[in-house]
Amino acid sequence: MRAKITYLITAAVLVVYFVLVGSRGVMLLQQGTLLTVTFGIAVLILPVIGIWFLWKNTQFVTRANRLAAELEAEGGLPVDDLARTPSGRIDRDAADEVFARRRAEAEDSPDDWRCWFRLAVAYHDARDTPRARHAMQRAIRLRESAR
């Protein structure tokens, strides 16, 4: 729940920022000179990119959470029993061991979204965020195509 609240607060702050930047861009456009119109267009591009990025990430998080809820209802959510360092971080060797099992599971069942979801969690635990995101995107695509 803490992560959801943090995400919502961050998203709200970003939306306020986008509105402020967008209003400055409009003000520059209203000046009407070549220089201010050019800067105004450039300034307006940033909030458009930011809103698109925020929207895509919100969709990703929402879909991943739906998969997690579905997997939890089935009893297939991976259990977080990995060894941790004194600071609370997941032990790298323990994460690598689980990752090897999850990767083999996904290779054996490449069309099962559940295996890809668990592989994404294993990538995340192994601190490989880009691959975790790609594995989760694949799990989402597989689940949506199965519906």
Side-chain angles (χ1 to χ4, degrees):
M1 189 62 173
R2 183 175 161 198
K4 287 182 182 181
I5 292 170
T6 302
Y7 186 82
L8 289 174
I9 290 171
T10 304
V13 168
L14 281 172
V15 168
V16 169
Y17 172 76
F18 297 150
V19 168
L20 290 174
V21 170
S23 69
R24 299 295 184 236
V26 170
M27 289 170 58
L28 285 168
L29 288 174
Q30 290 173 340
Q31 294 297 314
T33 68
L34 178 63
L35 184 63
T36 60
V37 169
T38 303
F39 279 138
I41 292 170
V43 167
L44 285 175
I45 289 172
L46 294 175
V48 169
I49 292 170
I51 289 169
W52 175 83
F53 185 75
L54 183 61
W55 173 249
K56 294 307 272 182
N57 278 309
T58 302
Q59 282 183 321
F60 174 78
V61 169
T62 302
R63 290 174 179 155
N65 284 338
R66 267 192 234 127
L67 292 186
E70 186 174 339
L71 201 54
E72 183 178 29
E74 295 175 356
L77 203 59
V79 179
D80 185 7
D81 58 356
L82 296 171
R84 299 195 182 263
T85 64
S87 64
R89 293 187 86 177
I90 294 173
D91 179 63
R92 186 66 180 230
D93 293 334
D96 289 343
E97 181 183 319
V98 171
F99 171 76
R101 287 196 319 256
R102 298 297 184 203
R103 184 180 61 201
E105 181 183 274
E107 287 171 355
D108 290 342
S109 302
D111 295 329
D112 186 359
W113 68 267
R114 294 163 188 85
C115 295
W116 284 97
F117 183 95
R118 288 188 285 266
L119 179 61
V121 172
Y123 270 126
H124 182 270
D125 291 344
R127 299 183 205 130
D128 191 346
T129 306
R131 288 189 177 136
R133 189 171 183 89
H134 288 294
M136 186 61 74
Q137 288 169 339
R138 182 157 182 184
I140 291 168
R141 280 192 310 273
L142 287 169
R143 179 63 186 120
E144 289 176 351
S145 68
R147 286 185 179 170

